[in-house]
Amino acid sequence: MAPSDLAAARGEPSYVWRAGQERRLQMVFKWAKLADARVLEAGGGVGMYASQFRRRYTESVELFDIELPRVAQARQEVPHSIVAAAEHLPYPSDYFDTILSHEVLEHVTDDRAAAREMVRVLKPGGRIVIFVPNRWYPFETHGYYWKGTYRFGNTPLINYLPNIWRNKLAPHVQAYTKRGLRTLFEGQPVKIAHHRRIYGGYDNIIARLGNPAKVMRDFLYVFEGTPLDTWGLSHLLVVEKIGEGVGRHR
Protein backbone atom coordinates (compact mmCIF):
# COMPACT_ATOMS: atom_id res chain seq x y z
CA MET A 1 0.00 0.00 0.00
CA ALA A 2 1.29 3.46 -0.90
CA PRO A 3 2.15 5.81 1.95
CA SER A 4 -0.59 8.20 3.03
CA ASP A 5 -0.25 11.97 2.82
CA LEU A 6 0.60 12.00 6.53
CA ALA A 7 3.28 9.30 6.33
CA ALA A 8 6.06 11.77 7.07
CA ALA A 9 4.51 13.24 10.21
CA ARG A 10 2.77 10.20 11.66
CA GLY A 11 4.18 7.10 10.02
CA GLU A 12 2.30 4.23 8.47
CA PRO A 13 0.43 1.66 10.58
CA SER A 14 0.49 -2.06 9.92
CA TYR A 15 -2.12 -2.99 7.33
CA VAL A 16 -1.44 -6.73 7.03
CA TRP A 17 -0.68 -9.39 9.62
CA ARG A 18 2.53 -11.30 8.94
CA ALA A 19 5.23 -13.22 10.80
CA GLY A 20 6.92 -10.06 12.05
CA GLN A 21 3.76 -8.79 13.69
CA GLU A 22 3.00 -12.20 15.13
CA ARG A 23 6.44 -12.36 16.72
CA ARG A 24 5.94 -8.98 18.37
CA LEU A 25 2.51 -9.99 19.60
CA GLN A 26 4.08 -12.98 21.32
CA MET A 27 6.61 -10.64 22.94
CA VAL A 28 3.75 -8.60 24.37
CA PHE A 29 2.09 -11.79 25.62
CA LYS A 30 5.36 -12.85 27.28
CA TRP A 31 5.98 -9.60 29.13
CA ALA A 32 2.52 -8.27 30.00
CA LYS A 33 -0.89 -9.48 31.11
CA LEU A 34 -3.36 -9.98 28.25
CA ALA A 35 -5.78 -12.71 29.33
CA ASP A 36 -8.92 -11.09 30.78
CA ALA A 37 -7.02 -7.80 31.09
CA ARG A 38 -8.02 -4.24 30.28
CA VAL A 39 -5.67 -3.38 27.42
CA LEU A 40 -4.93 -0.15 25.56
CA GLU A 41 -3.21 0.14 22.20
CA ALA A 42 -1.71 3.63 22.18
CA GLY A 43 -1.54 5.25 18.77
CA GLY A 44 -2.97 2.04 17.37
CA GLY A 45 -3.60 3.11 13.78
CA VAL A 46 -6.12 0.78 12.17
CA GLY A 47 -6.04 -1.58 15.13
CA MET A 48 -3.95 -4.49 13.90
CA TYR A 49 -2.67 -5.40 17.37
CA ALA A 50 -5.79 -4.34 19.26
CA SER A 51 -7.93 -6.59 17.10
CA GLN A 52 -5.65 -9.53 17.84
CA PHE A 53 -5.84 -8.82 21.58
CA ARG A 54 -9.61 -8.81 21.33
CA ARG A 55 -9.83 -12.02 19.30
CA ARG A 56 -7.38 -14.03 21.39
CA TYR A 57 -7.20 -12.72 24.93
CA THR A 58 -9.79 -10.24 26.19
CA GLU A 59 -12.80 -8.21 25.10
CA SER A 60 -11.69 -5.26 27.24
CA VAL A 61 -9.55 -3.60 24.57
CA GLU A 62 -9.42 0.10 23.79
CA LEU A 63 -7.49 2.09 21.21
CA PHE A 64 -6.72 5.68 20.39
CA ASP A 65 -5.09 7.31 17.40
CA ILE A 66 -4.64 10.89 16.25
CA GLU A 67 -6.25 10.31 12.82
CA LEU A 68 -10.01 9.94 12.46
CA PRO A 69 -9.93 7.79 9.28
CA ARG A 70 -7.72 5.23 11.01
CA VAL A 71 -9.90 5.21 14.10
CA ALA A 72 -12.98 4.70 11.94
CA GLN A 73 -11.35 1.66 10.38
CA ALA A 74 -10.17 0.34 13.75
CA ARG A 75 -13.73 0.53 15.11
CA GLN A 76 -14.77 -2.27 12.77
CA GLU A 77 -12.81 -4.67 15.00
CA VAL A 78 -12.29 -2.64 18.18
CA PRO A 79 -15.46 -0.70 19.07
CA HIS A 80 -13.82 1.31 21.86
CA SER A 81 -11.53 3.26 19.52
CA ILE A 82 -11.31 7.03 19.83
CA VAL A 83 -9.44 10.03 18.46
CA ALA A 84 -6.96 11.40 20.98
CA ALA A 85 -3.45 12.79 21.30
CA ALA A 86 -0.85 10.74 23.14
CA GLU A 87 0.07 13.72 25.31
CA HIS A 88 -3.50 14.21 26.63
CA LEU A 89 -5.24 10.89 27.22
CA PRO A 90 -8.97 10.96 28.06
CA TYR A 91 -8.80 7.97 30.41
CA PRO A 92 -8.90 7.88 34.21
CA SER A 93 -5.75 7.26 36.20
CA ASP A 94 -4.84 3.69 37.19
CA TYR A 95 -7.18 2.24 34.57
CA PHE A 96 -5.36 -0.21 32.26
CA ASP A 97 -3.58 -3.47 33.07
CA THR A 98 -1.45 -3.35 29.91
CA ILE A 99 -0.58 -0.69 27.34
CA LEU A 100 1.06 -1.34 23.98
CA SER A 101 2.87 1.53 22.27
CA HIS A 102 4.04 0.09 18.97
CA GLU A 103 6.34 2.38 16.96
CA VAL A 104 4.45 5.49 18.10
CA LEU A 105 6.57 7.57 20.48
CA GLU A 106 8.97 8.56 17.70
CA HIS A 107 6.12 10.44 15.98
CA VAL A 108 4.48 12.37 18.83
CA THR A 109 5.06 16.05 19.49
CA ASP A 110 6.20 15.51 23.09
CA ASP A 111 7.44 12.00 23.83
CA ARG A 112 8.06 12.72 27.52
CA ALA A 113 4.47 13.89 27.97
CA ALA A 114 3.21 10.82 26.09
CA ALA A 115 5.26 8.53 28.35
CA ARG A 116 3.98 10.35 31.44
CA GLU A 117 0.36 9.94 30.31
CA MET A 118 0.77 6.22 29.70
CA VAL A 119 2.15 5.80 33.21
CA ARG A 120 -0.72 7.83 34.64
CA VAL A 121 -3.47 5.66 33.12
CA LEU A 122 -1.68 2.38 33.94
CA LYS A 123 -2.65 0.46 37.07
CA PRO A 124 0.06 -0.15 39.71
CA GLY A 125 1.61 -3.47 38.78
CA GLY A 126 0.58 -3.01 35.15
CA ARG A 127 3.05 -2.88 32.29
CA ILE A 128 3.68 -0.76 29.22
CA VAL A 129 5.26 -2.57 26.28
CA ILE A 130 7.05 -0.16 23.97
CA PHE A 131 8.59 -0.62 20.55
CA VAL A 132 10.50 2.31 19.05
CA PRO A 133 13.22 2.73 16.40
CA ASN A 134 16.80 2.02 17.43
CA ARG A 135 19.18 4.88 16.68
CA TRP A 136 21.94 2.45 15.67
CA TYR A 137 19.96 0.51 13.08
CA PRO A 138 21.82 1.22 9.81
CA PHE A 139 18.74 2.55 8.01
CA GLU A 140 16.27 5.34 8.71
CA THR A 141 12.98 3.66 7.81
CA HIS A 142 10.75 6.75 7.86
CA GLY A 143 12.17 8.57 4.87
CA TYR A 144 13.90 11.95 4.87
CA TYR A 145 13.64 15.52 3.65
CA TRP A 146 15.92 16.90 0.94
CA LYS A 147 15.60 20.50 -0.24
CA GLY A 148 12.13 20.72 1.27
CA THR A 149 10.81 17.56 -0.37
CA TYR A 150 9.88 14.44 1.58
CA ARG A 151 11.26 11.19 0.19
CA PHE A 152 9.70 7.99 1.52
CA GLY A 153 11.76 4.82 2.01
CA ASN A 154 14.72 3.27 3.81
CA THR A 155 17.81 5.47 3.81
CA PRO A 156 21.21 4.30 5.11
CA LEU A 157 23.27 5.96 7.83
CA ILE A 158 21.14 9.05 8.51
CA ASN A 159 20.86 8.14 12.19
CA TYR A 160 24.64 7.85 12.49
CA LEU A 161 25.02 11.56 11.82
CA PRO A 162 25.36 14.10 14.65
CA ASN A 163 21.95 15.43 15.71
CA ILE A 164 22.53 18.83 14.14
CA TRP A 165 22.66 17.16 10.69
CA ARG A 166 20.47 14.15 11.34
CA ASN A 167 17.55 16.27 12.52
CA LYS A 168 17.66 18.40 9.38
CA LEU A 169 17.22 15.29 7.22
CA ALA A 170 14.69 13.59 9.51
CA PRO A 171 12.99 16.30 11.61
CA HIS A 172 9.70 14.39 11.48
CA VAL A 173 10.74 11.33 13.47
CA GLN A 174 12.98 10.31 16.34
CA ALA A 175 15.24 7.31 16.80
CA TYR A 176 16.36 6.33 20.29
CA THR A 177 19.50 5.19 21.99
CA LYS A 178 19.06 2.87 24.96
CA ARG A 179 19.78 5.69 27.39
CA GLY A 180 17.62 8.19 25.52
CA LEU A 181 14.59 5.93 25.64
CA ARG A 182 14.90 5.23 29.35
CA THR A 183 15.26 8.95 30.01
CA LEU A 184 11.60 9.41 29.01
CA PHE A 185 10.59 7.65 32.23
CA GLU A 186 12.99 9.31 34.66
CA GLY A 187 11.27 10.47 37.84
CA GLN A 188 8.15 8.43 37.18
CA PRO A 189 6.80 5.62 39.39
CA VAL A 190 8.05 2.79 37.19
CA LYS A 191 10.76 0.18 37.05
CA ILE A 192 12.37 -1.37 33.98
CA ALA A 193 11.13 -4.95 33.66
CA HIS A 194 12.92 -5.72 30.39
CA HIS A 195 14.92 -3.93 27.71
CA ARG A 196 16.63 -5.23 24.61
CA ARG A 197 16.95 -4.39 20.94
CA ILE A 198 15.31 -6.69 18.43
CA TYR A 199 15.74 -7.39 14.74
CA GLY A 200 12.95 -7.10 12.20
CA GLY A 201 10.72 -9.71 10.65
CA TYR A 202 12.00 -8.93 7.12
CA ASP A 203 8.75 -10.27 5.69
CA ASN A 204 9.11 -8.39 2.40
CA ILE A 205 12.62 -9.71 1.84
CA ILE A 206 11.55 -13.26 2.69
CA ALA A 207 8.63 -12.99 0.26
CA ARG A 208 11.12 -12.19 -2.51
CA LEU A 209 14.07 -14.41 -1.59
CA GLY A 210 12.51 -17.30 0.31
CA ASN A 211 14.48 -19.64 2.56
CA PRO A 212 17.89 -17.89 2.33
CA ALA A 213 16.29 -14.77 3.78
CA LYS A 214 14.65 -16.81 6.54
CA VAL A 215 18.05 -18.22 7.48
CA MET A 216 19.48 -14.69 7.62
CA ARG A 217 16.59 -13.49 9.80
CA ASP A 218 16.87 -16.41 12.23
CA PHE A 219 20.63 -15.87 12.45
CA LEU A 220 20.07 -12.24 13.48
CA TYR A 221 17.55 -13.27 16.12
CA VAL A 222 20.31 -15.21 17.90
CA PHE A 223 22.04 -11.88 18.57
CA GLU A 224 19.13 -10.41 20.52
CA GLY A 225 19.98 -9.96 24.16
CA THR A 226 23.71 -9.80 23.37
CA PRO A 227 25.96 -6.82 22.52
CA LEU A 228 25.34 -7.69 18.86
CA ASP A 229 21.76 -6.48 19.13
CA THR A 230 23.23 -2.96 18.98
CA TRP A 231 22.19 -2.79 15.32
CA GLY A 232 18.68 -4.18 15.82
CA LEU A 233 15.70 -2.53 14.18
CA SER A 234 13.80 -1.56 17.33
CA HIS A 235 13.94 -1.31 21.09
CA LEU A 236 11.66 -3.51 23.14
CA LEU A 237 11.18 -1.77 26.48
CA VAL A 238 8.84 -3.04 29.20
CA VAL A 239 8.14 -0.72 32.14
CA GLU A 240 6.09 -1.66 35.19
CA LYS A 241 4.24 0.84 37.34
CA ILE A 242 5.08 0.63 41.00
CA GLY A 243 2.90 1.51 43.97
CA GLU A 244 3.13 4.47 46.27
CA GLY A 245 6.17 4.62 48.51
CA VAL A 246 8.39 2.66 46.13
CA GLY A 247 11.41 4.31 44.53
CA ARG A 248 11.02 5.98 41.15
CA HIS A 249 12.97 5.15 38.00
CA ARG A 250 16.28 6.96 37.70
Side-chain angles (χ1 to χ4, degrees):
M1 181 172 290
S4 71
D5 293 339
L6 293 173
R10 295 173 184 167
E12 284 293 305
S14 297
Y15 293 105
V16 294
W17 192 260
R18 298 183 294 186
Q21 284 84 4
E22 180 65 27
R23 183 172 190 255
R24 292 191 176 202
L25 176 65
Q26 294 307 315
M27 291 178 182
V28 179
F29 178 73
K30 176 179 180 180
W31 289 105
K33 180 182 178 182
L34 292 178
D36 300 319
R38 180 176 285 153
V39 180
L40 173 68
E41 186 178 3
V46 298
M48 293 297 290
Y49 284 95
S51 63
Q52 294 293 327
F53 295 152
R54 198 162 183 269
R55 291 172 191 169
R56 303 189 196 190
Y57 303 110
T58 177
E59 292 190 359
S60 299
V61 179
E62 303 192 32
L63 173 150
F64 75 84
D65 195 85
I66 194 67
E67 291 189 42
L68 178 57
R70 292 178 177 175
V71 169
Q73 186 173 345
R75 282 179 183 155
Q76 298 174 24
E77 294 271 354
V78 185
H80 296 292
S81 298
I82 63 172
V83 175
E87 299 90 342
H88 304 283
L89 298 183
Y91 307 109
S93 300
D94 303 331
Y95 188 66
F96 292 102
D97 297 294
T98 295
I99 300 173
L100 170 63
S101 175
H102 186 267
E103 307 290 353
V104 172
L105 283 175
E106 66 269 24
H107 298 289
V108 303
T109 302
D110 187 340
D111 53 2
R112 285 180 179 268
R116 186 166 56 248
E117 276 291 88
M118 285 193 290
V119 172
R120 179 185 67 79
V121 303
L122 186 69
K123 293 179 181 179
R127 288 184 169 183
I128 308 169
V129 181
I130 299 165
F131 297 89
V132 292
N134 174 27
R135 179 70 180 259
W136 304 123
Y137 186 63
F139 294 87
E140 172 50 64
T141 63
H142 298 87
Y144 66 99
Y145 283 88
W146 184 252
K147 296 183 178 179
T149 300
Y150 174 65
R151 302 175 187 270
F152 184 78
N154 297 318
T155 311
L157 306 180
I158 283 179
N159 288 326
Y160 289 10
L161 296 172
N163 283 339
I164 191 171
W165 297 331
R166 184 263 175 204
N167 292 342
K168 289 181 179 179
L169 291 169
H172 57 298
V173 67
Q174 297 203 57
Y176 294 89
T177 63
K178 183 176 181 179
R179 182 178 180 183
L181 178 56
R182 292 186 177 210
T183 296
L184 300 183
F185 293 91
E186 284 185 351
Q188 298 194 53
V190 299
K191 64 180 181 181
I192 304 300
H194 181 72
H195 192 183
R196 69 167 55 179
R197 287 161 289 211
I198 62 172
Y199 285 91
Y202 307 109
D203 295 300
N204 290 335
I205 297 174
I206 290 171
R208 293 197 304 268
L209 301 180
N211 284 333
K214 287 184 180 180
V215 172
M216 176 205 72
R217 177 200 64 190
D218 293 345
F219 180 69
L220 291 174
Y221 286 168
V222 173
F223 296 150
E224 294 177 355
T226 78
L228 293 177
D229 71 8
T230 297
W231 299 278
L233 173 65
S234 298
H235 290 272
L236 165 61
L237 176 67
V238 183
V239 298
E240 180 176 323
K241 188 171 181 178
I242 55 181
E244 295 296 328
V246 182
R248 293 171 177 253
H249 174 58
R250 296 182 179 180

